[in-house]
Amino acid sequence: MSQYFDLTRRGFLKSTAATGALIFGTYLAGGAPRVIAGVLAKPSESAKTANLFVALRPDGIVEITCHRSEMGQQIRTAIAQIVADEMEAAWDKVVVIQGKGDAKYGDQNTDGSRSIRYNMQRLREMGASVRHLMRQAAATRWNVPVDSCSAEQHVVTHSSGKTLTYAELVNDALSITPPELAQITLKKRSEWRYINTAMEHIDLKDIVMGKATFAADVFEPKALIAVVVRPPVVGGKVKSFDAKATKAIDGVIDVIEIPAPQGAPQFQPKGGIAIIAKNTWAAIKGRRALSVTWDDGKNGDYNSEVFKASLLATVASPQSSVREIGDAANILANSSDKLVADYYAPHLAQAPMEPPCATAIYYKDRVDVWAATQNPQADMATVGAMVGMPKEQINVHVTMLGGGFGRKSKPDFSAEAAYLAMKTGKAIRVQWTREDDIQNSFYHAVSAQHIEASLDKNGAIEAYLHRTAFTPIASTFVEGATAPLSLELRLGFTDNPINTPNMKLESGEAPAKTRIGWMRSVSNVFHAFAVQSFIAEAAHKAGRDQKDYLLETIGPNRILDVTEENAEYDNYGADKANYPLDIGKLRHVIEKVADMSAWGRKLPKGRGLGIAAHRSFLTYVATVVEVEVSDKGDLKIIKSWVSIDAGTVVNTDTVKNQVQGGSIYGITAALSEGITFDKGKVQQSNFHDYRVPRMSDSPLEVEVEIIPSDAPPAGVGEPATPVYAPALCNAIFAACGKRIRQLPIGDQLKA
């Protein structure tokens, strides 16, 4: 059984008193116990602040605050590794405190594969500053120069051989003025103890043993449970409802209407009717008994097949140019022999294993929320707007997340809980079911893409045209937006690595008729699918080997600056000097994965290898997939190989885990039925009709090699996903000659 947050009044007030003033940046008034390694825990009453992320106990135990959300990517372990390494803390004397939502931490949005990239430098500095304080404290006590003192594994040693432990130095150290940045010396890479190693994940045992605390484990004895029947069509409203049968069910307390959102969806709740009950089962039974008549609004005509046709029609004609070099359009118009292909990918749902869940308690001057959130500061803003309070009065406590993939950075579920707590005056836990999540998500964009290329006499691409159209994320934030933002286009489109003298990239518009949000690797999913599939098609047309042609098509080692070709490209918000678009690195991962998979070996009949490579989130990934396709069209994925260059990595075991997980997630993009709509309503409801990979769908092994690098850290959580679908589809063609241009694969192999 899971451990619980105990939010009884006695325990609640005690935890508040114990923590409110002791650890700067950790608690505000009204705080609650934290989860350390998945069990009930809170900062020690005697802990003292060293800096924003580090507190020290008198016994030498180090408390390191993790301000990012833990959803299986082991960020709590990685942050502890970085800080503990630089401060020379003994690993068995480190505990991790989960940070609540607070602007002083800076960005807390655990999205975009940014947690290490955004934070590694300052976390190293925080750790090194504590090491400096310890050395200074020892030097002062011994009356010796600080340079004669060294710190190692919780002990400061003088050149004479005498020692003092961190526990003996805590009070002295915290009386010293913290050092300026110029006074801090960071370790050399050769001195790293924890960084760039495979370390045990601090939460793994408790997760496996069922002791970790997730949002549904938050326990307040007097809390009521709410489930919500939401408008089946985005923008729909309640026309009327009859709650008589619902209120007659034993355990149902109340039925409350949640207001419909105003303007663009943003992260507002969809509205609907909440059933408040003493327990989850009573709430679910009450929802089933509720009679609701809906006004579906302007999106009630949304049909996936009709919309698919409109998207394909859009990319069939010229659109807005976003990057251009040479004279691709003219060359293609006059080419007598060109390759033309259209690609399509449906809406997808993030579908984390744990559906959204949040508990809220409303007070006159604040709201406390416990949520499975990827972005607690977004919860603060959204909840504040929902209940009419400044966001600074919203305390968001982050539980563990049973997966997120982008869904849980949209806190509509937290806003629902807070609103219902305000209306009832009771603690409320809003529990989503699997069906709620599948049918009320912020969906990955549906897309269509059109690509043309003419090949020269040697089979090389001499002119290339690529048009893309997809429902933009911008529509979630700006009512009526139909054009993608440049930040969506730079996800695998404007940063196209094909080395050709003539290229034209065009972007079309598409109206969104549902809520659109980011999902693991975002637009890279469908852009990489089209580009990498097309290169393989061109290789076949040219009579060339897939891998060799891919290397020839991206060209020689060089730094590519696409902004020179009229492209708005922000390089994932990173400095191009530190994170250049390096074709040499892309080539390297391709060559490495080819070696790993013994590319070119003879395969049995019905088997094939496919390869794809892509740069996303500043990381370079190449994947080879081996498949077997039977005469009846049955598909079996035999094995996958992945090479990744993510710059400096913190935990090598975590990187391999993330790459393996990202690869399996990529199978969803290829095999899942996708999310489809008819009359504005989602047609899928659970894993029986929105397929996520079963064990039988997955390879027995995903072999991963990390390219050693001294470069700054890049992203890890997402880059393995975009390459998987094209590598898989290229392998299918190699195995049976069937070309897949539309996802999901479905029954195309049996046709």
Side-chain angles (χ1 to χ4, degrees):
M1 179 178 291
S2 298
Q3 299 291 322
Y4 289 94
F5 282 124
D6 183 355
L7 302 188
T8 61
R9 179 173 173 80
R10 182 184 299 275
F12 185 77
L13 294 177
K14 182 179 179 181
S15 69
T16 300
T19 61
L22 291 173
I23 302 213
F24 177 70
T26 301
Y27 274 66
L28 297 179
R34 300 296 184 93
V35 180
I36 296 179
V39 298
L40 185 70
K42 60 182 181 292
S44 168
E45 295 183 18
S46 57
K48 305 289 184 180
T49 294
N51 56 49
L52 181 60
F53 290 98
V54 183
L56 302 168
R57 298 180 187 172
D59 60 1
I61 295 295
V62 178
E63 296 178 347
I64 298 174
T65 294
C66 175
H67 66 304
R68 293 279 172 146
S69 300
E70 178 62 66
M71 50 189 172
Q73 85 283 34
Q74 291 101 40
I75 190 59
R76 285 160 49 87
T77 304
I79 284 178
Q81 282 179 257
I82 296 167
V83 176
D85 200 325
E86 284 291 351
M87 69 175 288
E88 269 297 334
W91 191 245
D92 62 356
K93 293 180 172 61
V94 171
V95 295
V96 177
I97 308 300
Q98 184 62 50
K100 60 175 284 185
D102 201 315
K104 65 173 155 283
Y105 291 122
D107 178 72
Q108 288 183 270
N109 187 9
T110 313
D111 256 325
S113 300
R114 299 174 292 191
S115 292
I116 297 301
R117 174 163 70 92
Y118 276 19
N119 291 286
M120 186 169 182
Q121 181 66 20
R122 68 170 179 156
L123 290 171
R124 290 184 66 195
E125 292 166 358
M126 295 281 184
S129 70
V130 178
R131 173 163 47 90
H132 177 94
L133 289 174
M134 293 298 179
R135 292 172 58 235
Q136 183 64 61
T140 300
R141 187 180 294 190
W142 290 326
N143 195 26
V144 298
V146 69
D147 290 344
S148 65
C149 302
S150 61
E152 184 175 355
Q153 290 291 275
H154 252 71
V155 176
V156 178
T157 302
H158 183 246
S159 55
S160 65
K162 55 188 175 182
T163 63
L164 286 169
T165 67
Y166 279 14
E168 294 172 305
L169 292 169
V170 166
N171 288 332
D172 292 1
L174 294 179
S175 67
I176 299 171
T177 302
E180 298 293 331
L181 190 59
Q183 298 174 273
I184 297 173
T185 301
L186 299 179
K187 286 184 175 184
K188 299 176 183 177
R189 294 178 67 93
S190 60
E191 298 172 328
W192 284 348
R193 184 184 304 277
Y194 305 134
I195 302 172
N196 198 226
T197 62
M199 294 191 67
E200 181 180 353
H201 308 141
I202 60 172
D203 300 306
L204 182 60
K205 181 178 179 180
D206 291 298
I207 291 171
V208 171
M209 298 298 291
K211 295 180 179 180
T213 303
F214 295 85
D217 298 321
V218 174
F219 180 68
E220 203 290 322
K222 295 182 180 180
L224 300 175
I225 307 300
V227 298
V228 182
V229 54
R230 301 171 182 87
V233 178
V234 168
K237 299 178 181 179
V238 176
K239 184 180 293 184
S240 64
F241 70 95
D242 184 349
K244 183 177 179 180
T246 295
K247 291 181 177 179
I249 291 174
D250 185 34
V252 171
I253 302 298
D254 203 354
V255 176
I256 298 174
E257 184 172 355
I258 298 175
Q262 300 297 313
Q266 300 186 49
F267 298 150
Q268 303 173 84
K270 286 177 70 178
I273 309 293
I275 291 81
I276 314 295
K278 293 179 180 179
N279 56 69
T280 307
W281 180 232
I284 290 174
K285 287 174 66 179
R287 179 166 66 175
R288 290 175 179 173
L290 187 70
S291 175
V292 185
T293 301
W294 302 102
D295 175 357
D296 289 336
K298 63 181 181 180
N299 294 323
D301 62 347
Y302 189 26
N303 177 274
S304 291
E305 285 302 311
V306 173
F307 196 73
K308 175 182 177 179
S310 71
L311 282 177
L312 290 168
T314 295
V315 296
S317 60
Q319 301 297 320
S320 299
S321 178
V322 295
R323 179 182 166 197
E324 186 170 5
I325 182 174
D327 191 15
N330 188 52
I331 293 173
L332 287 165
N334 292 286
S335 174
S336 59
D337 184 22
K338 59 185 179 182
L339 177 63
V340 180
D342 289 324
Y343 299 92
Y344 173 82
H347 286 296
L348 295 170
Q350 297 87 353
M353 191 57 64
E354 172 205 35
C357 180
T359 297
I361 303 177
Y362 178 87
Y363 303 93
K364 291 182 179 179
D365 60 348
R366 74 176 192 275
V367 177
D368 288 313
V369 178
W370 291 261
T373 176
Q374 291 179 239
N375 188 0
Q377 291 182 36
D379 288 60
M380 293 166 65
T382 304
V383 168
M386 193 74 184
V387 301
M389 283 188 190
K391 62 183 179 181
E392 291 78 13
Q393 293 173 232
I394 312 300
N395 296 318
V396 178
H397 309 276
V398 182
T399 69
M400 284 195 174
L401 284 66
F405 313 120
R407 173 59 183 95
K408 294 174 186 172
S409 55
K410 294 93 169 172
D412 51 337
F413 52 97
S414 294
E416 288 176 337
Y419 179 80
L420 295 171
M422 178 180 70
K423 297 297 287 186
T424 62
K426 305 288 186 181
I428 295 289
R429 187 178 92 208
V430 167
Q431 180 63 64
W432 287 45
T433 63
R434 176 79 57 222
E435 290 81 2
D436 290 333
D437 183 39
I438 296 294
Q439 297 191 322
N440 298 280
S441 191
F442 289 77
Y443 301 102
H444 186 243
V446 57
S447 71
Q449 297 174 78
H450 175 87
I451 306 181
E452 299 180 16
S454 63
L455 309 185
D456 65 20
K457 62 181 180 180
N458 297 315
I461 295 177
E462 65 172 352
Y464 178 90
L465 168 69
H466 187 170
R467 298 190 190 109
T468 185
F470 54 92
T471 46
I473 291 172
S475 64
T476 292
F477 301 97
V478 179
E479 193 169 16
T482 58
L485 301 169
S486 61
L487 63 85
E488 296 178 79
L489 293 173
R490 58 103 151 121
L491 301 172
F493 188 68
T494 52
D495 54 352
N496 187 308
I498 290 176
N499 185 36
T500 178
N502 304 284
M503 176 183 286
K504 187 172 178 60
L505 305 182
E506 299 176 352
S507 171
E509 297 188 18
K513 291 180 156 301
T514 187
R515 300 194 296 185
I516 304 299
W518 43 95
M519 186 194 77
R520 192 176 194 169
S521 75
V522 206
S523 305
N524 285 292
V525 173
F526 46 76
H527 286 144
F529 170 64
V531 173
Q532 292 297 305
S533 295
F534 188 83
I535 291 174
E537 291 200 43
H540 179 71
K541 181 177 177 63
R544 303 297 309 282
D545 173 81
Q546 275 186 70
K547 181 264 294 182
D548 293 342
Y549 191 85
L550 176 57
L551 287 169
E552 293 168 11
T553 298
I554 64 174
N557 294 355
R558 66 195 187 283
I559 303 302
L560 181 61
D561 186 356
V562 300
T563 59
E564 296 177 355
E565 299 162 6
N566 303 318
E568 291 186 35
Y569 186 69
D570 72 349
N571 201 39
Y572 293 87
D575 188 337
K576 288 188 290 185
N578 293 327
Y579 293 94
L581 204 171
D582 190 338
I583 299 300
K585 290 188 175 184
L586 189 60
R587 292 182 62 88
H588 190 192
V589 292
I590 294 169
E591 291 163 344
K592 178 64 177 177
V593 81
D595 289 342
M596 292 166 60
S597 62
W599 184 271
R601 56 189 161 91
K602 186 173 178 58
L603 295 171
K605 180 180 180 298
R607 288 203 182 186
L609 293 177
I611 191 168
H614 188 64
R615 176 188 186 259
S616 65
F617 304 94
L618 310 172
T619 289
Y620 304 81
V621 175
T623 291
V624 169
V625 178
E626 181 174 351
V627 304
E628 181 176 87
V629 181
S630 73
D631 292 339
K632 295 180 179 180
D634 297 319
L635 172 67
K636 182 178 181 181
I637 303 175
I638 306 298
K639 185 175 178 178
S640 302
W641 297 262
V642 188
S643 62
I644 178 171
D645 184 343
T648 297
V649 302
V650 175
N651 191 316
T652 53
D653 187 53
T654 293
V655 172
K656 290 182 178 181
N657 291 343
Q658 285 285 81
V659 170
Q660 290 166 339
S663 296
I664 300 301
Y665 204 80
I667 295 176
T668 298
L671 299 184
S672 171
E673 290 81 354
I675 295 294
T676 58
F677 291 79
D678 185 38
K679 298 180 180 179
K681 302 175 178 65
V682 174
Q683 299 301 290
Q684 292 71 35
S685 63
N686 208 315
F687 290 152
H688 71 287
D689 54 7
Y690 183 76
R691 189 173 181 82
V692 296
R694 274 67 163 173
M695 292 179 68
S696 59
D697 297 320
S698 306
L700 290 177
E701 183 180 4
V702 179
E703 183 181 328
V704 180
E705 288 286 342
I706 302 169
I707 304 296
S709 176
D710 293 339
V716 169
E718 295 167 275
T721 294
V723 288
Y724 205 90
L728 174 61
C729 292
N730 292 340
I732 288 171
F733 181 80
C736 68
K738 184 73 174 181
R739 185 68 72 186
I740 305 296
R741 291 176 174 172
Q742 297 193 9
L743 297 178
I745 294 171
D747 293 331
Q748 293 180 70
L749 296 181
K750 299 180 185 298

